[in-house]
Coordinates of all heavy atoms in Angstrom, one line a residue:
M15 N 109.5 92.0 163.5 CA 109.3 91.2 162.2 C 109.7 92.1 161.1 O 109.3 93.2 161.0 CB 107.8 90.8 162.2 CG 107.6 89.7 161.1 SD 106.1 88.8 161.5 CE 106.4 88.3 163.1
G16 N 110.5 91.6 160.1 CA 111.0 92.3 159.0 C 110.0 92.4 157.9 O 108.9 92.4 158.1
A17 N 110.5 92.7 156.8 CA 109.7 92.9 155.6 C 108.9 91.6 155.4 O 109.4 90.5 155.6 CB 110.5 93.2 154.3
S18 N 107.6 91.8 155.0 CA 106.8 90.6 155.0 C 106.9 89.9 153.7 O 107.0 90.5 152.6 CB 105.3 91.0 155.2 OG 104.8 91.9 154.2
Q19 N 107.2 88.6 153.7 CA 107.3 87.7 152.6 C 106.0 87.4 152.2 O 105.0 87.2 153.0 CB 108.1 86.5 153.0 CG 109.4 86.7 153.7 CD 110.5 87.1 152.7 OE1 110.4 86.7 151.5 NE2 111.5 87.8 153.1
P20 N 105.8 87.1 150.8 CA 104.4 86.6 150.4 C 104.3 85.3 151.0 O 105.2 84.3 150.8 CB 104.5 86.6 148.9 CG 105.9 87.0 148.5 CD 106.6 87.4 149.8
D21 N 103.2 84.9 151.7 CA 103.1 83.7 152.4 C 101.8 83.2 152.1 O 100.7 83.8 152.4 CB 103.2 83.9 154.0 CG 103.0 82.6 154.7 OD1 102.1 81.9 154.4 OD2 103.7 82.4 155.8
P22 N 101.7 82.0 151.3 CA 100.3 81.4 150.9 C 99.4 81.3 152.0 O 98.2 81.4 151.8 CB 100.8 80.2 150.2 CG 102.2 80.1 150.2 CD 102.8 81.2 151.0
Y23 N 99.9 80.8 153.1 CA 98.9 80.5 154.3 C 98.3 81.9 154.7 O 97.1 81.9 155.0 CB 99.7 79.8 155.4 CG 98.8 79.5 156.5 CD1 97.9 78.4 156.5 CD2 98.9 80.3 157.7 CE1 97.2 78.1 157.6 CE2 98.1 79.9 158.8 CZ 97.2 78.9 158.8 OH 96.4 78.6 159.8
V24 N 99.2 82.9 154.9 CA 98.7 84.2 155.4 C 97.7 84.7 154.4 O 96.6 85.1 154.7 CB 99.8 85.1 155.6 CG1 99.3 86.6 155.9 CG2 100.7 84.6 156.8
N25 N 98.1 84.6 153.2 CA 97.2 85.2 152.1 C 95.9 84.4 152.0 O 94.8 85.0 151.9 CB 97.9 85.1 150.7 CG 99.0 86.1 150.6 OD1 99.1 87.1 151.4 ND2 99.9 85.9 149.7
A26 N 95.9 83.1 152.1 CA 94.7 82.3 152.1 C 93.8 82.8 153.2 O 92.5 82.9 153.1 CB 94.9 80.9 152.1
T27 N 94.3 82.9 154.4 CA 93.6 83.3 155.6 C 93.1 84.6 155.5 O 91.8 84.8 155.8 CB 94.6 83.3 156.8 OG1 95.1 81.9 157.0 CG2 93.9 83.7 158.1
L28 N 93.8 85.6 154.9 CA 93.3 86.9 154.9 C 92.2 87.1 153.8 O 91.5 88.1 153.9 CB 94.4 87.9 154.7 CG 95.5 88.0 155.9 CD1 96.5 88.9 155.6 CD2 94.8 88.2 157.2
D29 N 92.1 86.2 152.9 CA 91.1 86.2 151.8 C 89.7 85.8 152.4 O 88.7 85.9 151.8 CB 91.4 85.3 150.7 CG 92.4 85.9 149.7 OD1 92.5 87.1 149.8 OD2 92.9 85.2 148.8
L30 N 89.7 85.2 153.6 CA 88.5 84.6 154.1 C 87.8 85.6 155.1 O 88.5 86.3 155.8 CB 88.8 83.3 154.8 CG 89.3 82.2 153.8 CD1 89.9 81.0 154.6 CD2 88.2 81.7 152.9
K31 N 86.6 85.5 155.3 CA 85.9 86.2 156.3 C 85.7 85.2 157.6 O 85.2 84.1 157.4 CB 84.5 86.6 155.7 CG 83.7 87.5 156.7 CD 82.6 88.2 155.9 CE 81.6 88.7 157.0 NZ 82.1 89.4 158.2
G32 N 86.2 85.7 158.6 CA 86.1 84.9 159.8 C 84.7 84.9 160.6 O 84.1 86.0 160.5
S33 N 84.5 84.0 161.2 CA 83.2 83.9 162.1 C 83.6 84.1 163.6 O 84.5 83.5 164.1 CB 82.5 82.6 161.9 OG 81.9 82.3 163.2
L34 N 83.1 85.2 164.1 CA 83.3 85.6 165.5 C 83.0 84.5 166.4 O 83.7 84.2 167.4 CB 82.6 86.9 165.8 CG 82.8 87.6 167.2 CD1 84.3 87.8 167.4 CD2 82.0 88.8 167.2
E35 N 81.9 83.8 166.1 CA 81.4 82.8 167.0 C 82.3 81.5 167.1 O 82.7 81.1 168.1 CB 80.0 82.5 166.6 CG 79.2 81.6 167.7 CD 77.9 81.3 167.2 OE1 77.2 82.1 166.4 OE2 77.4 80.2 167.4
Q36 N 82.7 81.1 165.9 CA 83.6 80.0 165.8 C 84.9 80.4 166.4 O 85.6 79.6 167.0 CB 83.9 79.7 164.3 CG 82.7 79.2 163.5 CD 82.3 77.8 164.1 OE1 83.1 77.0 164.5 NE2 80.9 77.5 164.0
G37 N 85.4 81.6 166.1 CA 86.7 82.1 166.6 C 86.7 82.1 168.1 O 87.7 81.7 168.8
G38 N 85.7 82.5 168.8 CA 85.5 82.5 170.2 C 85.6 81.0 170.8 O 86.2 80.8 171.7
Q39 N 84.9 80.1 170.0 CA 85.0 78.8 170.5 C 86.5 78.2 170.4 O 87.0 77.5 171.2 CB 84.1 77.9 169.5 CG 83.2 77.0 170.2 CD 82.1 76.5 169.3 OE1 82.5 75.9 168.2 NE2 80.9 76.8 169.6
L40 N 87.1 78.5 169.3 CA 88.5 78.0 169.0 C 89.4 78.6 170.1 O 90.3 78.0 170.7 CB 89.0 78.5 167.7 CG 88.4 77.7 166.5 CD1 88.8 78.3 165.2 CD2 89.1 76.3 166.5
F41 N 89.1 79.9 170.5 CA 89.9 80.5 171.5 C 89.7 79.8 172.9 O 90.7 79.6 173.5 CB 89.6 82.1 171.6 CG 90.5 82.8 172.6 CD1 91.7 83.3 172.2 CD2 90.1 82.8 174.0 CE1 92.5 83.9 173.1 CE2 91.0 83.5 174.9 CZ 92.2 84.0 174.4
R42 N 88.5 79.6 173.2 CA 88.3 79.0 174.5 C 88.9 77.5 174.6 O 89.5 77.2 175.6 CB 86.7 78.9 174.8 CG 86.2 80.3 175.1 CD 84.8 80.3 175.6 NE 83.9 80.1 174.5 CZ 83.5 80.9 173.7 NH1 83.8 82.2 173.8 NH2 82.6 80.5 172.8
I43 N 88.9 76.9 173.5 CA 89.5 75.5 173.4 C 91.0 75.6 173.5 O 91.6 74.8 174.3 CB 89.0 74.7 172.2 CG1 87.5 74.5 172.3 CG2 89.8 73.4 172.1 CD1 86.9 73.9 171.0
N44 N 91.6 76.3 172.7 CA 93.0 76.3 172.4 C 93.9 77.4 173.2 O 95.0 77.2 173.4 CB 93.4 76.5 171.0 CG 92.8 75.4 170.1 OD1 93.2 74.3 170.2 ND2 91.9 75.8 169.3
C45 N 93.3 78.4 173.6 CA 94.1 79.6 174.1 C 93.7 80.1 175.4 O 94.6 80.6 176.1 CB 93.9 80.7 173.1 SG 93.8 80.3 171.3
A46 N 92.5 79.8 175.8 CA 92.1 80.4 177.1 C 92.8 79.9 178.3 O 93.0 80.5 179.3 CB 90.5 80.2 177.3
G47 N 93.3 78.7 178.2 CA 94.0 77.9 179.3 C 95.2 78.9 179.7 O 95.5 79.0 180.9
C48 N 95.8 79.5 178.7 CA 97.0 80.4 179.0 C 96.7 81.8 179.0 O 97.3 82.6 179.7 CB 98.1 80.2 178.0 SG 99.0 78.5 178.2
H49 N 95.7 82.3 178.2 CA 95.5 83.7 178.1 C 94.3 84.1 178.8 O 94.0 85.4 178.8 CB 95.4 84.1 176.4 CG 96.7 84.0 175.8 ND1 97.7 84.9 175.9 CD2 97.2 83.1 175.0 CE1 98.7 84.7 175.2 NE2 98.5 83.4 174.6
G50 N 93.6 83.2 179.4 CA 92.5 83.6 180.2 C 91.2 83.5 179.4 O 91.2 83.7 178.3
I51 N 90.1 83.3 180.1 CA 88.8 82.9 179.4 C 88.3 84.2 178.7 O 87.7 84.1 177.6 CB 87.8 82.4 180.5 CG1 86.6 81.8 179.7 CG2 87.4 83.4 181.5 CD1 86.7 80.6 179.0
S52 N 88.6 85.4 179.2 CA 88.3 86.6 178.5 C 89.6 87.3 178.0 O 89.5 88.5 177.7 CB 87.5 87.6 179.3 OG 87.1 87.0 180.5
A53 N 90.6 86.5 177.7 CA 91.8 87.0 177.1 C 92.5 88.1 178.0 O 93.2 89.0 177.6 CB 91.6 87.5 175.7
Q54 N 92.1 88.0 179.3 CA 92.6 89.1 180.2 C 94.1 88.8 180.6 O 94.7 89.6 181.3 CB 91.8 89.2 181.5 CG 91.9 88.1 182.5 CD 91.1 86.7 182.2 OE1 90.6 86.5 181.0 NE2 91.0 85.9 183.2
G55 N 94.6 87.6 180.3 CA 96.0 87.3 180.7 C 96.0 86.4 181.9 O 95.2 86.5 182.7
H56 N 97.0 85.5 181.8 CA 97.1 84.4 182.8 C 98.6 84.0 182.8 O 99.4 84.8 183.1 CB 96.1 83.3 182.5 CG 96.1 82.2 183.6 ND1 96.1 82.5 184.9 CD2 96.2 80.9 183.4 CE1 96.1 81.2 185.5 NE2 96.1 80.3 184.7
L57 N 98.9 82.8 182.3 CA 100.3 82.5 182.0 C 100.8 83.2 180.8 O 101.9 83.6 180.8 CB 100.3 81.0 181.7 CG 101.7 80.3 181.3 CD1 102.8 80.6 182.4 CD2 101.6 78.9 181.0
G58 N 100.0 83.4 179.8 CA 100.2 84.2 178.6 C 99.7 85.6 178.8 O 99.0 85.9 179.7
P59 N 100.3 86.6 178.0 CA 99.8 88.0 178.2 C 98.4 88.3 178.0 O 97.7 87.5 177.2 CB 100.8 88.7 177.3 CG 101.3 87.8 176.2 CD 101.2 86.3 177.0
N60 N 97.9 89.3 178.5 CA 96.7 90.0 178.2 C 96.6 90.2 176.6 O 97.5 90.8 176.0 CB 96.6 91.2 179.0 CG 95.4 92.0 178.7 OD1 94.9 92.1 177.7 ND2 95.0 92.8 179.9
L61 N 95.5 89.8 176.1 CA 95.4 89.9 174.6 C 94.4 91.1 174.2 O 94.0 91.2 173.0 CB 95.0 88.7 173.9 CG 96.1 87.5 174.0 CD1 95.6 86.3 173.3 CD2 97.4 88.0 173.5
L62 N 93.9 91.8 175.2 CA 92.9 92.9 174.8 C 93.7 93.9 174.0 O 94.9 94.2 174.2 CB 92.4 93.5 176.1 CG 91.8 92.4 177.1 CD1 91.2 93.1 178.3 CD2 90.6 91.6 176.4
D63 N 93.0 94.4 173.0 CA 93.6 95.4 172.0 C 94.8 94.8 171.3 O 95.6 95.6 170.7 CB 94.1 96.6 172.8 CG 92.9 97.4 173.3 OD1 91.8 97.4 172.6 OD2 93.0 98.0 174.4
V64 N 95.0 93.5 171.3 CA 96.2 93.0 170.7 C 96.3 93.3 169.1 O 97.5 93.6 168.6 CB 96.4 91.5 170.8 CG1 95.4 90.6 170.0 CG2 97.8 90.9 170.5
S65 N 95.1 93.4 168.5 CA 95.2 93.8 167.1 C 95.5 95.1 166.9 O 95.7 95.6 165.7 CB 93.8 93.3 166.5 OG 92.7 93.9 167.1
E66 N 95.6 95.9 167.8 CA 96.2 97.4 167.6 C 97.7 97.4 167.8 O 98.4 98.2 167.3 CB 95.7 98.3 168.7 CG 94.2 98.7 168.4 CD 93.5 99.4 169.5 OE1 94.2 100.1 170.4 OE2 92.2 99.4 169.5
R67 N 98.2 96.4 168.5 CA 99.7 96.2 168.5 C 100.3 95.4 167.4 O 101.5 95.6 167.1 CB 100.1 95.6 169.9 CG 99.6 96.3 171.1 CD 100.3 95.7 172.4 NE 100.1 94.4 172.8 CZ 98.9 93.8 173.5 NH1 98.1 94.8 173.9 NH2 98.8 92.6 173.7
R68 N 99.6 94.5 166.9 CA 100.1 93.5 165.9 C 99.2 93.5 164.7 O 98.0 93.4 164.9 CB 100.2 92.0 166.5 CG 100.8 92.0 167.9 CD 102.3 91.7 167.8 NE 102.9 91.6 169.1 CZ 104.0 92.1 169.4 NH1 104.8 92.7 168.4 NH2 104.5 92.0 170.6
N69 N 99.7 93.5 163.5 CA 98.9 93.4 162.3 C 98.7 91.8 162.1 O 99.2 91.0 162.9 CB 99.6 94.0 161.1 CG 100.8 93.2 160.6 OD1 101.0 92.0 160.8 ND2 101.8 94.0 160.0
D70 N 97.8 91.5 161.2 CA 97.3 90.2 161.1 C 98.4 89.2 160.7 O 98.3 88.1 161.3 CB 96.2 90.1 160.0 CG 94.9 90.7 160.4 OD1 94.7 91.0 161.7 OD2 93.9 90.9 159.6
A71 N 99.3 89.6 159.9 CA 100.3 88.7 159.5 C 101.2 88.4 160.8 O 101.6 87.2 160.9 CB 101.2 89.3 158.4
Q72 N 101.4 89.3 161.6 CA 102.2 89.2 162.8 C 101.5 88.2 163.8 O 102.0 87.3 164.5 CB 102.5 90.4 163.5 CG 103.5 91.3 162.7 CD 103.7 92.7 163.4 OE1 102.7 93.2 163.9 NE2 104.8 93.2 163.3
L73 N 100.2 88.4 163.8 CA 99.3 87.5 164.7 C 99.3 86.1 164.2 O 99.6 85.1 165.0 CB 97.8 88.0 164.8 CG 97.7 89.4 165.5 CD1 96.2 89.8 165.4 CD2 97.9 89.2 167.0
I74 N 99.2 85.9 163.0 CA 99.2 84.5 162.4 C 100.6 84.0 162.6 O 100.7 82.8 163.1 CB 98.9 84.6 160.9 CG1 97.5 85.0 160.7 CG2 99.1 83.3 160.3 CD1 97.1 85.4 159.2
K75 N 101.7 84.7 162.4 CA 103.0 84.1 162.7 C 103.1 83.7 164.1 O 103.7 82.6 164.5 CB 104.1 85.1 162.3 CG 104.4 85.3 160.9 CD 105.3 84.3 160.4 CE 105.1 84.0 158.9 NZ 105.1 85.2 158.0
Q76 N 102.7 84.5 165.0 CA 102.8 84.2 166.5 C 102.0 82.9 166.8 O 102.6 82.1 167.5 CB 102.1 85.3 167.2 CG 101.9 85.1 168.8 CD 103.2 85.1 169.6 OE1 104.1 85.8 169.3 NE2 103.3 84.2 170.5
I77 N 100.9 82.7 166.1 CA 100.0 81.5 166.5 C 100.7 80.2 165.8 O 100.7 79.2 166.5 CB 98.6 81.8 166.0 CG1 98.1 82.9 166.9 CG2 97.8 80.5 166.2 CD1 96.7 83.5 166.4
V78 N 101.2 80.3 164.6 CA 101.7 79.2 164.0 C 103.2 78.9 164.1 O 103.6 77.7 163.8 CB 101.4 79.2 162.4 CG1 99.9 79.3 162.2 CG2 102.2 80.2 161.7
S79 N 103.9 79.8 164.7 CA 105.4 79.6 164.6 C 106.0 78.7 165.7 O 106.9 78.0 165.5 CB 106.1 81.0 164.7 OG 106.0 81.6 165.9
G80 N 105.4 78.8 166.9 CA 106.0 78.2 168.1 C 107.3 78.9 168.5 O 108.2 78.2 169.1
N81 N 107.5 80.1 168.1 CA 108.8 80.8 168.4 C 108.9 81.3 169.8 O 110.0 81.7 170.2 CB 109.0 82.0 167.4 CG 109.4 81.5 166.1 OD1 109.9 80.4 165.9 ND2 109.3 82.4 165.1
T82 N 107.9 81.3 170.5 CA 107.9 81.9 171.9 C 107.4 80.9 172.9 O 106.2 81.1 173.4 CB 107.1 83.2 172.0 OG1 105.8 83.0 171.6 CG2 107.7 84.3 171.1
P83 N 108.1 79.9 173.2 CA 107.6 78.9 174.2 C 107.4 79.6 175.5 O 108.1 80.6 175.8 CB 108.8 77.9 174.3 CG 109.9 78.4 173.4 CD 109.5 79.5 172.7
P84 N 106.5 79.1 176.3 CA 105.8 77.9 176.3 C 104.5 77.9 175.3 O 103.9 76.9 175.1 CB 105.2 77.7 177.7 CG 105.0 79.0 178.1 CD 106.0 79.9 177.5
M85 N 104.3 79.0 174.6 CA 103.2 79.0 173.6 C 103.5 78.0 172.5 O 104.5 78.1 171.9 CB 102.9 80.3 173.0 CG 101.8 80.3 172.1 SD 101.0 82.0 171.8 CE 100.3 81.7 170.2
P86 N 102.6 77.0 172.4 CA 102.9 76.0 171.3 C 102.6 76.5 169.9 O 102.1 77.6 169.8 CB 101.8 74.9 171.7 CG 100.7 75.5 172.4 CD 101.4 76.7 173.1
R87 N 103.1 75.8 169.0 CA 102.7 76.1 167.6 C 101.4 75.5 167.2 O 101.2 74.3 167.5 CB 103.8 75.8 166.6 CG 104.2 74.3 166.4 CD 105.4 74.2 165.5 NE 105.1 74.7 164.2 CZ 104.8 73.9 163.2 NH1 104.8 72.6 163.3 NH2 104.6 74.4 162.0
F88 N 100.5 76.3 166.6 CA 99.2 75.7 166.3 C 99.1 75.5 164.8 O 99.6 76.4 164.1 CB 98.1 76.6 166.7 CG 97.9 76.7 168.2 CD1 98.6 77.6 168.9 CD2 97.0 75.9 168.9 CE1 98.5 77.7 170.4 CE2 96.9 75.9 170.2 CZ 97.6 76.9 171.0
Q89 N 98.5 74.4 164.4 CA 98.3 74.2 162.9 C 96.8 74.2 162.8 O 96.1 73.5 163.4 CB 98.9 72.9 162.5 CG 100.4 72.9 162.5 CD 101.0 71.7 162.0 OE1 101.0 70.6 162.7 NE2 101.6 71.6 160.8
M90 N 96.3 75.1 162.0 CA 94.8 75.0 161.7 C 94.5 75.5 160.3 O 95.4 76.1 159.5 CB 94.1 75.9 162.7 CG 94.6 77.3 162.9 SD 93.6 78.1 164.2 CE 94.5 77.7 165.7
E91 N 93.4 75.1 159.8 CA 92.9 75.5 158.5 C 92.9 77.0 158.4 O 92.6 77.7 159.3 CB 91.6 74.9 158.2 CG 91.6 73.4 158.1 CD 92.5 72.8 157.0 OE1 92.5 73.4 155.9 OE2 93.2 71.8 157.3
P92 N 93.1 77.6 157.1 CA 92.9 79.0 156.9 C 91.6 79.5 157.5 O 91.5 80.6 158.1 CB 93.1 79.2 155.5 CG 94.0 78.1 155.1 CD 93.6 76.9 155.9
Q93 N 90.6 78.8 157.3 CA 89.2 79.3 157.7 C 89.3 79.4 159.3 O 88.7 80.3 159.8 CB 88.1 78.3 157.3 CG 86.7 78.8 157.8 CD 86.4 80.2 157.2 OE1 86.2 80.3 155.9 NE2 86.2 81.2 158.0
E94 N 89.8 78.4 160.0 CA 89.8 78.5 161.4 C 90.7 79.6 161.9 O 90.3 80.3 162.9 CB 90.4 77.2 162.0 CG 89.5 76.0 161.7 CD 90.1 74.7 162.3 OE1 91.3 74.4 161.8 OE2 89.5 74.0 163.0
M95 N 91.8 79.8 161.1 CA 92.7 81.1 161.6 C 91.9 82.3 161.3 O 92.0 83.3 162.1 CB 94.0 81.0 160.7 CG 94.9 82.1 161.0 SD 95.6 82.1 162.7 CE 96.8 80.8 162.7
A96 N 91.2 82.4 160.2 CA 90.3 83.6 160.0 C 89.3 83.8 161.1 O 89.0 85.0 161.5 CB 89.6 83.4 158.6
D97 N 88.7 82.7 161.5 CA 87.8 82.9 162.7 C 88.4 83.3 163.9 O 87.9 84.3 164.6 CB 87.2 81.4 162.9 CG 86.4 80.9 161.8 OD1 85.9 81.7 160.9 OD2 86.0 79.7 161.8
L98 N 89.6 82.8 164.1 CA 90.4 83.2 165.4 C 90.7 84.7 165.2 O 90.7 85.5 166.2 CB 91.6 82.3 165.5 CG 92.3 82.3 166.8 CD1 91.4 81.9 167.9 CD2 93.3 81.1 166.7
L99 N 91.2 85.1 164.1 CA 91.5 86.6 163.9 C 90.3 87.5 164.1 O 90.3 88.5 164.8 CB 92.0 86.8 162.5 CG 93.5 86.3 162.3 CD1 93.9 86.7 160.8 CD2 94.5 87.1 163.2
A100 N 89.1 87.0 163.7 CA 87.9 87.8 163.9 C 87.7 88.0 165.4 O 87.3 89.0 165.9 CB 86.8 87.1 163.3
Y101 N 87.9 86.8 166.1 CA 87.8 87.0 167.6 C 88.8 87.9 168.2 O 88.5 88.8 169.1 CB 87.8 85.5 168.3 CG 87.7 85.6 169.8 CD1 86.4 85.7 170.3 CD2 88.9 85.5 170.5 CE1 86.4 85.9 171.7 CE2 88.7 85.6 171.9 CZ 87.5 85.7 172.5 OH 87.4 85.8 173.9
L102 N 90.1 87.7 167.8 CA 91.1 88.6 168.3 C 90.8 90.1 168.1 O 91.0 91.0 168.8 CB 92.5 88.2 167.8 CG 93.1 86.8 168.2 CD1 94.4 86.6 167.5 CD2 93.2 86.8 169.7
H103 N 90.3 90.3 166.8 CA 89.9 91.7 166.5 C 88.9 92.2 167.4 O 88.7 93.4 167.5 CB 89.4 91.8 165.0 CG 90.5 91.5 164.0 ND1 90.1 91.3 162.7 CD2 91.8 91.5 164.1 CE1 91.2 91.0 162.0 NE2 92.2 91.1 162.9
S104 N 88.0 91.4 167.9 CA 86.8 91.9 168.7 C 87.3 92.1 170.1 O 86.5 92.7 171.0 CB 85.8 90.8 168.8 OG 86.1 89.7 169.6
L105 N 88.5 91.8 170.6 CA 89.0 92.0 172.0 C 89.3 93.5 172.2 O 90.1 94.0 171.4 CB 90.1 91.1 172.3 CG 89.8 89.6 172.2 CD1 91.2 88.9 172.3 CD2 88.9 89.2 173.3
N106 N 88.7 94.1 173.2 CA 89.1 95.4 173.5 C 88.7 95.8 174.9 O 88.2 95.0 175.6 CB 88.6 96.5 172.4 CG 87.1 96.3 172.3 OD1 86.4 96.3 173.4 ND2 86.5 96.3 171.2
Ligands
HEC226 C1 100.9 77.2 176.8 C2 100.4 78.5 177.0 C3 99.8 79.2 175.8 C4 98.9 78.9 174.9 C5 98.1 77.5 174.9 C6 98.7 79.9 174.0 N1 99.5 80.9 174.4 FE1 99.6 82.8 173.4 N2 101.2 83.2 174.5 C7 101.8 82.6 175.5 C8 102.9 83.2 176.1 C9 103.7 82.8 177.3 C10 103.1 84.4 175.4 C11 104.2 85.4 175.4 C12 105.4 84.9 174.5 C13 106.6 85.9 174.6 O1 106.4 87.0 173.9 O2 107.6 85.5 175.1 C14 102.1 84.3 174.3 C15 101.9 85.4 173.3 C16 100.9 85.4 172.4 C17 100.5 86.6 171.6 C18 101.4 87.8 171.4 C19 100.8 88.8 172.4 C20 101.4 90.2 172.2 O3 101.1 91.1 173.0 O4 102.2 90.4 171.3 C21 99.4 86.2 170.9 C22 98.7 87.1 169.9 C23 99.0 85.0 171.3 N3 99.9 84.5 172.3 C24 97.8 84.4 170.9 C25 97.5 83.0 171.2 C26 96.4 82.3 170.6 C27 95.4 82.9 169.7 C28 96.4 81.1 171.2 C29 95.5 80.0 170.9 C30 95.3 79.6 169.5 C31 97.5 81.0 172.2 N4 98.1 82.2 172.1 C32 97.8 79.9 173.0 C33 101.3 81.3 176.0 C34 100.3 80.6 175.4

């Protein structure tokens, strides 16, 4: 990913404090089918320690872009994205 452009969605998300509990729920509903119930990897890659490999802007882009099929593009409110990031940060 190149130089980061100011992105209002990313900025709005990063201004919010995420809820780990809500994020875990969103993950189980939207992501666990491919990434595994504990993010251990399945059809999609293992996401443990993913926040050490990718910064938040990169994670958000991955989730909303749909650039890497079969992973779909997700549209969610900044608060939901902040919750999901809180969950991704907790994976290790
Ligand atoms: C239909 C299956 C599918 C679903 C649903 C899905 N993913 Fe993925 N995801 C993938 C695949 C496949 C890749 C690998 C894409 C590639 O790099 O080619 C991926 C890659 C990723 C990556 C990058 C991992 C890395 O090491 O860089 C992240 C982060 C991620 N997914 C998060 C999520 C989150 C969060 C959700 C739920 C909102 C989700 N994914 C839902 C299939 C899925």
